[in-house]
Amino acid sequence: MAKLVLLQDGQAFPHEVVEGDTLIGRHPDCGIQLNSNTVSRFHAKITKSGDEYHLQDLGSGNGTFLNGTQLPKEQPAPLSNQARIKFGPLLARFECDGVPVPAPALAAPRPRPQVPAGGDDFGAGGFDFSMDDGDEDEATIMGTLQASGGSAGGFGMLGVHPEAKLKGVIEITRALCGETDVDKMLPAILKTLFDVFPGADRGCILLKDQKSGQMLPRAFRHRREGEDATVRLSRTIVNKVLADKAGILSADASSDDQFSGSESISNLSIRSVMIVPMLDKDGEPIGVINIDTLNPLTQFTNDDLDLLMTVASQASLTYENARLMKTYLEKQKQDGEMRIAKDVQQALLPDELPKVDGWKFYASYDSAQAVGGDYYDAFQFDDGKVVLSFGDISGKGVPGAIIMSRMSSCVQSTLQFTHNDPLEAVNAINEHMCANAAEGRFVTYNFILLNPATSEVQLVNAGHMSPMIYKPDGTIDEFPEDSIGLPIGVMEGFPYDLEKRVIEPGEIVVLFTDGVDEAMNPEGELYTLERMREFIAGCPHDVEELGKALLADVRRHANGRPQNDDITIMVFGRDA
């Protein structure tokens, strides 16, 4: 038997559709009489011919709509089971289990994201989800319930049906006890809600995406296998639940004007629906829980909404705790990995500096994060010459540390063959780094070859600040600006310059990265190269004391402001 179910004032009124023509309208002679001034006297008709049914508009004033699309006047359209119909503003649904479901070309189907299945709780093959902003229907709000704040907002209303609420809270707590996998927790919430609400046919949970802020479906459940696994929600209703932090009980009808202009529950083939917010510990919405019934004789009540708010509050609290625990464990794992990375990076730095009669060496390395992008190395060859390799990789943190490790291995392997020729060494290092360069990454670099026998240093400067030379008379000397070439990894075949200088007795050479001169205090003032020169000029002529004092002065200038860049200092000098 076919029937047309009228949906008015939150209730469903079935009418039999007979053989032949069934007239629908305001006139008493109509087989299905609609008591509304918005409906024409003879508004439309349903015609049964064999096993097929057709709907036809009879020239009505406010039109006849089938599945959201207005029918052309006097042109019959095939009816399928569960078809959604509007006579003007009045809502109805056609039901006939024996009718085949054709594919009417009345409107292009809306694209819906396919949500992958998440186990039995999602139904076979996942489910279709969309949230629409239709303009053809209105939704009736049968009741609302305001949360009292916080994720446990519903607990404040235990005075109403306390035994049912307590049972629901116990059941949801038992179902989620010990579960820390948030993806498994959501289906468990729906499964428990189906036990608490035996009349529920479908349920879904939407969670707010942290990046986009959009509400995305995360779990779905339907009671019977083979049931329609399509979920379409009114965006207006969902937004109201989130904005008001209130649960909403809604049903198919057209008498409520507060959702005018939005797609209604009735248009979504839902007879009765409850949507409640999921609130975090601060009372802010993180998602919604939606359950509905497809049985027109089993509609939810305000008491059901009250119970769902209470159970959802406990579910939200448990979910939020699990999510925070997951975040904490992930952070612990990341911290552990960073500690390992820090140890690996420290192993790339020299365990000890060269010991050469008449010379002293000092170095300090302080990264802004667990790992850094600064780099230094120092080692002595069999012929007594000392190599000082010092650089600053663009960027800091993990990306800088990766390039730093590559630079370190590149220098070590290159100097096995070219340690007597600084220009040849730097050119080889540059060619290698350019050949496998990461986009936007380069290294400002100082290569120094010290010959203790002659006290001569040979310097190749690839885009780094010039070393400062602290002289016994308290003055500061620097290498020429025009000797500074491009950073390593910028241009293949760049012609670097070689600078030579004899280090006189008592002279001290200071190398540093821009974490020194660009150190910033709480007022945003930089340490500057000028202050650095003035400070060095007043230091004692001792290599280690000067290096430690410079680092301490940078810390004093920062005055507690967190370090924003890696700070590396290398000092070496000739005894007086």
Side-chain angles (χ1 to χ4, degrees):
M1 182 183 71
K3 58 185 175 180
L4 185 71
V5 181
L6 296 176
L7 307 164
Q8 292 179 289
D9 302 324
Q11 300 183 50
F13 301 95
H15 296 270
E16 183 179 356
V17 176
V18 298
E19 186 77 23
D21 292 338
T22 300
L23 294 175
I24 304 166
R26 200 173 69 248
H27 197 278
D29 291 342
C30 291
I32 300 177
Q33 187 178 7
L34 304 179
N35 186 21
S36 172
N37 290 330
T38 62
V39 176
S40 301
R41 290 188 304 158
F42 296 97
H43 195 103
K45 70 175 181 180
I46 296 177
T47 301
K48 179 178 187 254
S49 177
D51 292 331
E52 296 183 354
Y53 292 81
H54 289 78
L55 174 67
Q56 180 179 341
D57 182 83
L58 299 178
S60 64
N62 290 324
T64 301
F65 296 80
L66 177 59
N67 294 325
T69 299
Q70 186 171 2
L71 295 179
K73 298 185 187 301
E74 307 296 340
Q75 293 186 20
L79 278 176
S80 62
N81 187 31
Q82 296 295 320
R84 306 185 304 275
I85 304 173
K86 267 183 49 178
F87 305 105
L90 298 188
L91 310 173
R93 180 172 49 256
F94 178 74
E95 296 182 355
C96 184
D97 294 336
V99 175
V101 182
L106 294 174
R110 299 174 187 237
R112 298 172 187 154
Q114 286 288 331
V115 181
D120 295 338
D121 289 311
F122 285 81
F127 67 99
D128 292 332
F129 174 84
S130 67
M131 192 151 52
D132 301 318
D133 298 302
D135 58 1
E136 61 265 19
D137 290 325
E138 298 173 356
T140 293
I141 302 305
M142 310 300 294
T144 61
L145 189 61
Q146 186 74 37
S148 62
S151 59
F155 296 156
M157 297 172 285
L158 285 174
V160 181
H161 301 291
E163 66 286 348
K165 292 183 178 180
L166 183 58
K167 180 181 177 182
V169 169
I170 292 174
E171 289 187 13
I172 200 73
T173 302
R174 182 184 295 118
L176 304 180
C177 181
E179 184 61 72
T180 58
D181 189 333
V182 294
D183 293 326
K184 294 181 180 179
M185 183 174 290
L186 298 176
I189 292 174
L190 290 178
K191 184 177 185 300
T192 306
L193 290 178
F194 272 44
D195 296 335
V196 175
F197 298 97
D201 288 313
R202 297 183 304 184
C204 68
I205 296 178
L206 277 63
L207 294 181
K208 182 179 293 186
D209 182 72
Q210 296 296 322
K211 295 182 179 179
S212 67
Q214 294 181 340
M215 300 298 298
L216 300 179
R218 293 291 302 276
F220 172 77
R221 182 180 180 84
H222 53 78
R223 190 173 293 277
R224 289 170 287 275
E225 289 298 327
E227 196 172 64
D228 179 22
T230 299
V231 177
R232 293 176 62 198
L233 299 179
S234 167
R235 190 183 307 276
T236 307
I237 294 181
V238 172
N239 288 340
K240 181 174 176 61
V241 170
L242 295 173
D244 297 347
K245 303 177 186 178
I248 286 180
L249 169 64
S250 187
D252 300 5
S254 59
S255 61
D256 196 311
D257 61 359
Q258 68 172 306
F259 289 113
S260 177
S262 66
E263 181 146 3
S264 72
I265 296 301
S266 60
N267 190 40
L268 309 178
S269 299
I270 298 175
R271 289 161 172 83
S272 182
V273 62
M274 294 187 293
I275 305 180
V276 299
M278 296 179 68
L279 305 179
D280 63 16
K281 59 184 180 61
D282 298 320
E284 294 302 317
I286 59 173
V288 297
I289 298 176
N290 166 85
I291 61 173
D292 65 64
T293 173
L294 298 177
N295 188 342
L297 303 179
T298 308
Q299 297 206 350
F300 295 125
T301 66
N302 284 322
D303 288 343
D304 293 324
L305 180 64
D306 190 3
L307 176 57
L308 180 59
M309 283 289 289
T310 302
V311 177
S313 296
Q314 176 63 20
S316 301
L317 179 64
T318 307
Y319 173 81
E320 180 72 357
N321 287 339
R323 189 183 66 82
L324 292 175
M325 177 58 71
K326 180 181 179 181
T327 302
Y328 171 77
L329 293 177
E330 290 175 349
K331 180 65 166 57
Q332 290 291 98
K333 181 181 178 181
Q334 292 174 358
D335 289 346
E337 292 173 348
M338 291 304 294
R339 284 192 292 270
I340 296 174
K342 183 176 182 179
D343 293 341
V344 171
Q345 186 175 52
Q346 288 294 327
L348 295 176
L349 301 176
D351 293 331
E352 59 181 18
L353 298 176
K355 293 179 172 58
V356 181
D357 290 340
W359 297 82
K360 290 186 174 62
F361 299 86
Y362 168 83
S364 66
Y365 185 97
D366 294 270
S367 59
Q369 301 176 15
V371 291
D374 284 359
Y375 155 75
Y376 77 88
D377 204 350
F379 44 90
Q380 189 173 18
F381 292 114
D382 293 339
D383 60 5
K385 293 179 181 178
V386 176
V387 167
L388 301 175
S389 183
F390 191 87
D392 185 357
I393 288 83
S394 60
K396 52 184 177 291
V398 174
I402 294 174
I403 304 298
M404 176 267 194
S405 64
R406 186 169 156 221
M407 182 71 179
S408 175
S409 62
C410 178
V411 171
Q412 290 278 355
S413 59
T414 300
L415 293 183
Q416 293 180 16
F417 309 99
T418 60
H419 73 271
N420 281 318
D421 190 335
L423 272 179
E424 184 181 353
V426 173
N427 285 327
I429 293 169
N430 182 53
E431 293 301 304
H432 178 83
M433 297 298 287
C434 284
N436 301 280
E439 185 176 353
R441 300 291 176 180
F442 56 86
V443 184
T444 63
Y445 182 60
N446 276 332
F447 181 94
I448 293 179
L449 180 63
L450 167 64
N451 186 346
T454 63
S455 299
E456 181 186 65
V457 294
Q458 299 182 58
L459 167 70
V460 178
N461 191 329
H464 202 79
M465 288 85 66
S466 173
M468 294 185 183
I469 303 173
Y470 181 31
K471 305 176 74 172
D473 60 3
T475 60
I476 303 293
D477 196 7
E478 298 177 31
F479 289 90
E481 285 288 331
D482 58 9
S483 66
I484 301 176
L486 287 179
I488 296 294
V490 173
M491 178 188 297
E492 294 184 27
F494 181 82
Y496 291 100
D497 293 332
L498 178 66
E499 290 291 325
K500 298 181 179 180
R501 189 186 194 284
V502 173
I503 303 300
E504 301 294 342
E507 289 187 338
I508 297 175
V509 182
V510 181
L511 295 90
F512 57 97
T513 59
D514 57 9
V516 175
D517 60 294
E518 294 180 2
M520 197 176 295
N521 63 15
E523 290 73 36
E525 299 170 341
L526 298 177
Y527 186 75
T528 73
L529 289 173
E530 186 58 36
R531 172 167 175 165
M532 181 178 172
R533 294 186 184 99
E534 293 177 359
F535 179 80
I536 292 176
C539 283
H541 279 78
D542 181 87
V543 168
E544 185 172 351
E545 285 188 27
L546 190 154
K548 291 181 177 179
L550 177 59
L551 178 61
D553 193 56
V554 172
R555 300 289 189 208
R556 278 193 298 271
H557 173 78
N559 194 24
R561 176 165 178 157
Q563 186 177 328
N564 59 1
D565 200 357
D566 306 324
I567 298 175
T568 304
I569 298 171
M570 178 181 278
V571 184
F572 71 96
R574 182 179 174 186
D575 291 345

